[in-house]
């Protein structure tokens, strides 16, 4: 019999289960992985260097393009870093809006995750269900910022504008008409808040739909239970954050522990796993979606009853109102300076982190009194998770690699930056 | 929050009284600068000592301090030219590879680490300057926090900082066979080479960049009273 040797296999960079442009060099012993070497950087755009050459506000849009399935959370970390250096506080209404949209973003991200993770592991139907709901979240983004994905909605000092009074409706077309159109517009008769509330009230039913497809599904459990087990000690040592850390049983959530925005004013629970395998992380993320719904509901109730400003009253950082610019020369000057030169941020350094859907998304920023950041370092959760790839898949079968990639919830926009 | 910062900086002082460390306590956190010789020792104590208990290393990055605090459009004097035309010097993004600055400054490169303690719920920014004697060498933290492996690879790739003791110090983000360290301030924003498909050779080839360096807004520095006073007040409180 011929001697069987280990062989290397190339996985990606163009592979549907690689969730982007991941190139994996796998050293195989039969069907068992002995070593995995992920090659990243195929999507490297030097976001951090680009941000160094632009005034602070012009880089907010770049943050959307990092983790391009949880846009507003990235903006939140960046905007908070600037606010911390400026000692600027966003108004309370803006804080609630940010909290609400962070959670909408979390649902969006997890829907994308459950859809693609399911697709990778053989559940085609789930993908279609998850994207049906994700579409609604896109509509919320669109209503508030005009963009379905790259919103640039959070600004230093608050959010770009208040929530719209009217939710845009579907128009009659060849494909949507009659009863279909009526059904599509059913939740859109009132304001954006009405739409969000209707969506969130219905969302637990949707979650149950996903659960009936997966929770007790034999194939799903065979592919996830006991796969990619991470002990709490390993998770800490590897720098895991977010659901990857909580799936291993470590109750750590920045929203609770180092609270920001309005998270200290809302009531929610932090789900924690037990075994630290892919199935537990699935359970954690599913429960996180339910908890996000709970937070959004509280924010909607608060936002309905508490009108107010959504931007700080500071024309050095915040553009003045159009109307005042027509009459007030100072406002006009402020506006001109803000959009040509930008604002200068006091010298110093700051690390600001938010609990993004994937884990701790951090921005380390150094300012030198100038109108551009001197250094911006973006700490992407996925980067730390993927770096443990080799340790997580060693000894597993080839098909489990796909499960581990899925459970890490990696997006190359943020890993390669 | 401010109580933990005071306690943290106090215990830093007591633990490392024999080392030349510099501790800065701001509203935004505690920043501790240590000499590169004691980098490993301090990191190990910070992880293992009960007073610190920093079990997670969240982030590691390089910083290049070349051109720190240098404006392109001075605001402390009168100019006869307008804002967008009065640019002085070749600031970041405004030069090509041949026009880059070639001087060396002391304490140019720094390694910055963000530590997090889950048990004590505290953060610390740990910093050291890489000695620049032809080669930037900083001891690797991989044996202390396994998770910094890729972060150190990234800092090596982007800044050329060599982490001694790192098991696998390869480039990570840039292309296979990339030359230079792109995040250094003397590396042009437009890069050196671009790729295109060569019709004759039937493959992708490298060629020198064909675009011009171009940045629209000049860097200005304003130390206005409204910022400085505000910041100083906050810092003291």
């Amino acid at each position: 019999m011929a001697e069987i040797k280990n062989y290397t296999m190339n996985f990606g960079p163009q592979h549907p289960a690689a969730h982007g442009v991941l190139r994996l060099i796998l050293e195989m012993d039969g069907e068992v992985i002995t070593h995995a070497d992920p090659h990243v950087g195929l999507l490297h755009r030097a976001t951090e260097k680009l941000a160094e050459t632009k005034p602070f506000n012009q880089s907010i849009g770049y943050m959307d393009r990092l983790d391009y399935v949880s846009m507003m959370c990235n903006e939140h970390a960046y905007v908070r870093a600037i606010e911390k250096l400026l000692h600027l506080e966003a108004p309370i209404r803006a804080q609630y809006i940010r909290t609400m949209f962070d959670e909408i973003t979390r649902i969006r991200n997890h829907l994308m995750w459950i859809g693609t993770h399911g697709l990778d592991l053989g559940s085609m139907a789930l993908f279609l269900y998850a994207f049906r709901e994700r579409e609604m979240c896109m509509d919320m983004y669109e209503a508030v910022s005009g963009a379905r994905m790259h919103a640039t909605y959070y600004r230093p000092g608050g959010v770009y504008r208040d929530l719209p009074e009217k939710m845009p409706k579907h128009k009659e077309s060849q494909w949507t008409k009659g009863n279909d159109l009526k059904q599509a517009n059913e939740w859109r008769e009132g304001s954006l808040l009405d739409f969000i509330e209707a969506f969130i009230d219905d969302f637990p039913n949707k979650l149950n739909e996903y659960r009936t497809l997966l929770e007790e599904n034999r194939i799903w459990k065979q592919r996830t239970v006991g796969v990619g087990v991470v002990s709490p000690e390993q998770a800490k040592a590897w720098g895991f954050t977010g659901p990857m850390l909580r799936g291993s049983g470590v109750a750590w959530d920045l929203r609770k522990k180092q609270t920001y925005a309005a998270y200290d004013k809302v009531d929610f629970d932090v789900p924690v796993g037990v075994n630290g395998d892919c199935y537990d992380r699935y359970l954690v993320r599913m429960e996180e979606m339910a908890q996000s719904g709970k937070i959004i509901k509280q924010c909607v109730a608060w936002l309905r009853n508490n009108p107010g400003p959504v931007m700080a009253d500071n024309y050095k950082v915040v553009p003045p109102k159009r109307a005042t610019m027509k009459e007030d020369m100072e406002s006009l000057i402020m506006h001109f300076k803000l959009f040509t030169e930008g604002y200068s941020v006091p010298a110093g350094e700051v690390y600001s982190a938010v609990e993004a859907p994937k884990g701790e998304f951090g921005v380390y920023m150094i300012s030198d009194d100038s109108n551009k950041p001197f250094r911006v370092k973006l700490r992407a959760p996925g980067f730390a998770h993927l770096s443990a790839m080799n340790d997580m898949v060693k000894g597993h079968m080839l098909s489990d690699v796909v499960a581990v990639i899925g459970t890490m919830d990696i997006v190359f926009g943020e890993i390669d930056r | 929050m401010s109580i933990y910062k005071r306690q943290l900086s106090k215990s830093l002082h007591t633990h490392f009284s024999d080392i030349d460390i510099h501790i800065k306590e701001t509203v935004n956190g505690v920043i501790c600068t240590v000499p590169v010789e004691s980098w490993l020792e301090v990191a190990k104590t910070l992880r293992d000592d009960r007073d610190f208990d920093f079990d997670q290393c969240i982030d590691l990055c390089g910083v290049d301090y070349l051109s720190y605090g240098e404006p392109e459009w001075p605001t402390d004097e009168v100019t006869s030219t307008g804002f967008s035309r009065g640019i002085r010097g070749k600031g970041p993004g405004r030069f090509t590879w041949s026009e880059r600055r070639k001087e060396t400054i002391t304490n140019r490169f720094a390694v910055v680490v963000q530590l997090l303690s889950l048990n004590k719920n505290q953060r610390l920014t740990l910093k050291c300057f890489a000695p620049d004697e032809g080669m930037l060498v900083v001891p690797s933290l991989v044996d202390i926090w396994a998770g910094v492996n890729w972060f150190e690879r990234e800092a090596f790739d982007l800044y050329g900082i060599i982490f001694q003791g790192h098991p696998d110090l390869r480039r990570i983000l840039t292309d296979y066979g990339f030359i230079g360290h792109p995040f250094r301030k003397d590396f042009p924003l437009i890069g050196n080479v671009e790729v295109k498909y060569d019709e004759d050779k039937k493959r992708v080839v490298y060629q020198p960049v064909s675009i011009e360096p171009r940045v629209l807004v000049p860097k200005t520095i304003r130390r206005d009273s409204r910022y400085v006073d505000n910041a100083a007040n906050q810092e003291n409180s």
Side-chain angles (χ1 to χ4, degrees), chain A residues 39 240 341 369 372 379, chain B residues 56 58 69 176 217 222-223:
Chain A
H39 287 205
F240 280 14
E341 186 186 305
D369 278 320
K372 302 173 184 182
R379 193 269 175 193
Chain B
Q56 270 205 319
I58 286 293
Y176 303 113
V217 183
R222 290 187 189 275
R223 290 193 181 87

Side-chain angles (χ1 to χ4, degrees), chain B residues 21-197:
Chain B
I21 62 166
H22 182 254
I23 297 158
K24 199 174 154 206
E25 200 189 318
T26 72
V27 270
N28 296 324
V30 184
I31 301 153
C32 175
T33 314
V34 299
V36 69
E37 303 84 57
S38 18
W39 184 239
L40 278 182
E41 183 199 332
V42 170
K44 216 171 163 54
T45 317
L46 288 176
R47 185 194 63 177
D48 295 334
D49 198 287
R50 281 238 158 270
D51 283 356
F52 304 114
D53 208 3
F54 287 107
D55 43 4
Q56 270 205 319
C57 181
I58 286 293
D59 184 32
L60 182 145
C61 70
V63 180
D64 178 2
Y65 276 99
L66 185 72
S67 81
Y68 182 87
E70 289 173 22
E72 294 173 302
W73 194 68
T75 53
D76 49 0
E77 57 188 272
V78 183
T79 51
S80 55
T81 48
F83 177 63
S84 56
R85 295 175 293 282
I87 296 162
R88 232 183 251 177
K90 298 258 185 201
R94 292 181 190 279
F95 56 86
T96 59
W97 179 248
S98 55
E99 296 163 336
R100 72 191 188 278
R101 288 168 65 162
K102 287 174 186 111
E103 86 259 44
T104 48
I105 58 166
T106 52
N107 280 353
R108 183 175 155 188
F109 292 98
V111 174
V112 183
V113 173
Q114 310 293 343
L115 300 178
L116 171 68
S117 164
L118 298 183
N119 293 333
K120 302 189 82 113
N121 192 10
Q122 58 187 12
R123 283 183 192 276
L124 174 71
T125 306
L126 192 66
K127 198 172 180 177
C128 84
F129 286 95
D132 195 356
E133 286 142 8
M135 203 152 64
L136 307 158
V137 183
V138 172
S140 169
L141 299 176
V142 167
D143 293 333
I144 299 171
W145 295 285
V148 300
N149 188 319
W150 276 25
F151 289 99
E152 287 187 347
R153 276 177 71 185
E154 186 193 318
F156 161 70
D157 188 2
L158 303 178
Y159 287 95
I161 300 163
I162 291 163
F163 292 91
Q164 207 167 26
H166 191 286
D168 184 26
L169 202 63
R170 286 175 293 155
R171 284 186 182 273
I172 184 162
L173 289 180
T174 52
D175 198 0
Y176 303 113
F178 189 87
I179 299 165
H181 300 289
F183 274 31
R184 290 187 173 190
K185 292 276 180 181
D186 55 7
F187 191 93
L189 185 70
I190 56 166
N192 286 320
V193 285
E194 60 187 25
V195 285
K196 69 157 199 182
Y197 181 74

Side-chain angles (χ1 to χ4, degrees), chain A residues 205-374:
Chain A
N205 304 332
K206 298 283 160 58
L207 272 178
N208 283 338
E209 275 180 23
Y210 311 150
R211 287 200 177 109
T212 51
L213 280 169
L214 295 179
E215 208 113 318
E216 297 301 326
N217 184 319
R218 185 149 39 122
I219 301 172
W220 181 256
K221 285 187 113 171
Q222 280 171 347
R223 297 289 308 263
T224 54
V225 174
V227 172
V229 180
V230 180
S231 73
E233 292 72 33
Q234 283 173 325
K236 284 180 198 169
W238 291 336
F240 280 14
T241 46
M244 293 293 287
L245 184 62
R246 290 193 285 274
S248 298
V250 182
W252 177 265
D253 190 317
L254 288 181
R255 295 175 294 171
K256 285 271 188 207
K257 302 280 182 176
Q258 298 177 4
T259 190
Y260 55 96
Y263 281 113
D264 52 339
K265 299 179 192 76
V266 289
D267 176 42
F268 65 101
D269 297 320
V270 178
V272 174
V274 178
N275 304 318
D277 58 1
C278 291
Y279 189 71
D280 274 25
R281 285 186 285 270
Y282 151 78
L283 292 174
V284 165
R285 288 197 174 101
M286 289 301 269
E287 184 53 30
E288 266 184 23
M289 278 199 268
Q291 294 297 330
S292 292
K294 204 168 145 192
I295 298 173
I296 293 169
K297 230 175 139 71
Q298 294 169 57
C299 288
V300 169
W302 191 93
L303 287 165
R304 269 192 214 285
N305 300 326
N306 295 279
V310 293
M311 270 286 212
D313 187 22
N314 182 341
Y315 287 167
K316 277 288 161 206
V317 182
V318 171
K321 288 243 167 1
R322 259 300 128 181
T324 54
M325 276 164 55
K326 306 276 184 204
E327 293 169 356
D328 181 23
M329 193 176 76
E330 281 74 17
S331 301
L332 195 64
I333 296 170
M334 294 290 192
H335 182 271
F336 177 75
K337 285 306 277 180
L338 188 62
F339 283 97
T340 52
E341 186 186 305
Y343 47 85
S344 294
V345 168
E349 51 193 281
V350 67
Y351 178 77
S352 104
V354 296
E355 184 73 31
K358 293 180 170 63
E360 177 174 331
F361 186 91
V363 175
Y364 173 63
M365 188 183 278
I366 304 178
S367 170
D368 60 347
D369 278 320
S370 71
N371 57 342
K372 302 173 184 182
F374 182 75

Side-chain angles (χ1 to χ4, degrees), chain A residues 169-173 175-189:
Chain A
K169 287 190 198 127
H170 288 290
K171 290 205 180 79
E172 193 179 308
S173 73
W175 300 278
T176 357
K177 53 190 168 194
N179 267 344
D180 284 350
L181 184 69
K182 223 168 141 187
Q183 208 181 355
N185 282 334
E186 196 191 335
W187 294 344
R188 294 165 200 261
E189 296 302 329

